[in-house]
Amino acid sequence: MTTIEAPRSSSRQTRSSKNWEKWGWIYMRFSGILLVILIFGHLLINLVLGTGVKQIDFAFVAGKYATPFWQVWDLLMLWLALIHGGNGMRTLVNDYAYNRLVNRILKWAILAAVVVLVVLGTLVIFTFDPCPAGATGADLPSFCPAH
C-alpha cells in the first residue's frame, strides 16, 4: 500500500492560516464572477454600443468620470482585478517559492505593488478633472468653459 504525503504541511500552520486560504479561495470565485460582469459591461458600453472604439477619447472619459455611477463601476473593476491578481500571484509564490525568505520577499513585493496601484488608480478615478483651474487655454480641451 502506498501513502501520499500531505503537500508541504507544516506544524507552524495554524487554524487561522488555513482560514485565510479558505477565504482567499472564496474571494477568487466571487471576484471572478463579478469581474466577468463588470468587464463585459465595460466592453459593451465602451466598444459595442455607440460608434465603437473611435468614440473613446479624452472627452468620453471625462464624461464618464463626471458621473458617480461610472466612478464606482471603474473603482470596483480596479479593486477587484488588482486584489484578484495579487491573490493569484500570492498563490503561485506559495506553490513555487520554497525558500522561506524568498517567499516572504515576493509576497511583500506583491502586496506593495497591489497597494500602490490601488491607491494611484483610486486617486485618478476620484480626482480626475478635465478642466483644471489655472491651466492655459492651449492646454485645455475644447469642451472646457475657459477655452
Side-chain angles (χ1 to χ4, degrees), residues 38-121:
L38 289 169
I39 290 168
F40 279 109
H42 177 83
L43 292 173
L44 178 73
I45 298 298
N46 291 326
L47 300 177
V48 177
L49 302 178
T51 58
V53 74
K54 61 184 170 195
Q55 75 181 348
I56 300 175
D57 58 6
F58 188 82
F60 180 81
V61 174
K64 276 184 61 177
Y65 281 170
T67 62
F69 175 81
W70 288 113
Q71 287 178 329
V72 171
W73 186 285
D74 283 357
L75 184 74
L76 277 171
M77 207 165 40
L78 172 81
W79 279 56
L80 287 171
L82 285 171
I83 296 169
H84 184 96
N87 192 33
M89 292 301 297
R90 181 194 60 81
T91 302
L92 289 172
V93 166
N94 280 341
D95 287 347
Y96 295 108
Y98 298 108
N99 183 302
R100 199 174 192 178
L101 178 64
V102 171
N103 186 294
R104 275 201 181 145
I105 290 170
L106 290 173
K107 285 197 283 190
W108 277 105
I110 292 165
L111 178 64
V114 168
V115 168
V116 166
L117 291 172
V118 162
V119 168
L120 289 176

Side-chain angles (χ1 to χ4, degrees), residues 21-42:
E21 292 301 320
K22 177 181 106 175
W23 288 112
W25 184 88
I26 291 170
Y27 173 80
M28 293 299 272
R29 275 35 185 193
F30 284 110
S31 67
I33 292 167
L34 278 172
L35 278 167
V36 167
I37 294 166
L38 289 169
I39 290 168
F40 279 109
H42 177 83

